[in-house]
Amino acid sequence: MTLFLKTAVRAAKAAGAIHKKFYGKTLHIQFKGKNSLNLVTQVDQLSEKKILSILQKQFSTHDFLGEESGLQKNNSAYTWIIDPLDGTTNFAHAYPFFCVSIALVQNGIPIAAVIYDALRDECFTAEKGKGAFLNGKPIRVSKISTLEKSLLCTGFAYMVRETHYNLDNFAQFVLTSQGVRRDGSAAMNFAYVAAGRLDGFWERGIQAWDIAAGALLILEAGGKLTDITGTPFDLFAQNALAANPKMHSILLKILTKGKDEKNWLKRYGKNKKW
Ligand code: IPD
Ligand code: CA
Ligand code: CA
């Protein structure tokens, strides 16, 4: 394990200890902007502070992009992308599905990743070219190759009330797959696809910190990752489709045909971002 990953795991576990300390306790909840679906708690902030203090001590010349504190630029080729608590809404309701997500990106390409679920003590890690692991044991994507046998997962961005994006695709897959989960932590969902617990995941309106670590896990576990139209993966594309390679092409066909894609194009155009 490189010093990059070792330090990332140390930081993720330190944040995980904060998650455990506050889990199920009364929290100080605020809202981001005017959106009453987008919560932030003191645990998001404390966790990010802790992660940054560990990473910055070791790699003071790198860039840092944290969900809560934004971008700190040093003009480095290396950027740490941090989601200190993915699944804040779950956490605020003491629903046990959330994690820490940390990735190191070199010139736009994720090279080290950790996703840590403190409640289950599950630590998903990956380094570019070295495979993906769960608590040190190799993981692979599933071999499921038909929609009827697949367990899928998705998420709804905080703008769902305005956009209604994904309601159509969600319904399509509920009617054709073995099941569709929507459990509120995109990073964990990526880790679960990498570990073969889910066969595919998609979401529209997702941020780089939700997916940077998960992206590397997927690729290193033998999965396929693109945006929802099949364009090669881009951390800032704000939508993603991750699956085992067979399910990826099956899901892609359906996602690009539905009402959601037409509405997305109408509203944002081909290259526009949120
Ligand atoms: C959210 C979760 C959720 C996804 C949202 C994300 P947060 O992240 O990953 O599953 O549907 O798009 O913003 O706010 O809990 O860190
Ligand atoms: Ca997130
Ligand atoms: Ca978060």
Side-chain angles (χ1 to χ4, degrees):
M1 206 188 266
T2 61
L3 183 64
F4 289 149
L5 187 59
K6 253 190 217 159
T7 313
V9 169
R10 186 153 58 85
K13 291 199 171 175
I18 298 174
H19 294 183
K20 274 182 95 169
K21 181 171 164 203
F22 284 88
Y23 179 64
K25 308 258 162 67
T26 305
L27 298 170
H28 179 57
I29 296 173
Q30 291 174 295
F31 299 97
K32 288 189 179 169
K34 284 188 186 142
N35 190 332
S36 64
L37 297 181
N38 197 351
L39 318 184
V40 60
T41 72
Q42 77 268 42
V43 180
D44 300 73
Q45 286 149 354
L46 287 171
S47 305
E48 183 153 318
K49 244 185 167 172
K50 186 75 191 175
I51 294 166
L52 282 173
S53 73
I54 292 172
L55 296 178
Q56 285 177 330
K57 196 163 170 204
Q58 193 75 51
F59 307 111
S60 58
T61 59
H62 289 183
D63 290 358
F64 296 86
L65 173 62
E67 178 177 6
E68 307 309 331
S69 51
L71 181 64
Q72 297 179 47
K73 245 188 148 0
N74 284 313
N75 291 322
S76 169
Y78 294 103
T79 306
W80 291 90
I81 302 188
I82 302 153
D83 192 333
L85 172 53
D86 186 58
T88 299
T89 308
N90 289 344
F91 193 86
H93 290 263
Y95 179 83
F97 200 79
F98 50 83
C99 63
V100 185
S101 172
I102 302 175
L104 177 61
V105 171
Q106 185 181 19
N107 298 320
I109 312 276
I111 58 166
V114 54
I115 290 178
Y116 183 55
D117 170 356
L119 288 184
R120 295 172 187 80
D121 192 25
E122 288 197 324
C123 188
F124 299 87
T125 56
E127 286 180 285
K128 194 168 185 307
K130 293 186 187 168
F133 300 85
L134 166 53
N135 291 343
K137 296 202 176 106
I139 50 173
R140 295 297 290 173
V141 293
S142 73
K143 292 195 165 69
I144 295 291
S145 59
T146 61
L147 207 45
E148 305 82 68
K149 290 198 175 140
S150 67
L151 182 61
L152 307 176
C153 190
T154 189
F156 292 86
Y158 293 123
M159 292 167 85
V160 65
R161 285 184 183 169
E162 291 82 53
T163 61
H164 292 193
Y165 287 136
N166 209 22
L167 296 175
D168 186 51
N169 287 147
F170 186 67
Q172 279 176 297
F173 289 121
V174 164
L175 298 175
T176 51
S177 70
Q178 205 161 71
V180 185
R181 301 290 173 258
R182 187 278 195 254
D183 44 22
S185 169
M188 284 265 273
N189 296 150
F190 271 84
Y192 278 27
V193 174
R197 293 172 179 175
L198 291 167
D199 307 305
F201 171 82
W202 80 95
E203 185 168 338
R204 287 169 207 274
I206 202 162
Q207 304 297 330
W209 45 77
D210 298 315
I211 56 180
L216 186 59
L217 280 162
I218 294 289
L219 297 173
E220 289 298 322
K224 187 160 179 193
L225 179 64
T226 62
D227 80 353
I228 273 172
T229 64
T231 307
F233 180 71
D234 165 6
L235 274 179
F236 297 93
Q238 297 186 316
N239 71 74
L241 168 61
N244 80 40
K246 287 210 168 115
M247 288 310 303
H248 186 279
S249 57
I250 295 171
L251 298 179
L252 190 59
K253 272 187 206 130
I254 296 169
L255 286 168
T256 45
K257 279 194 191 123
K259 231 194 268 169
D260 289 324
E261 184 56 23
K262 273 194 208 117
N263 288 344
W264 174 281
L265 286 176
K266 203 154 91 194
R267 187 169 178 136
Y268 297 108
K270 222 175 172 179
N271 299 312
K272 276 212 193 120
K273 311 215 159 149
W274 288 28

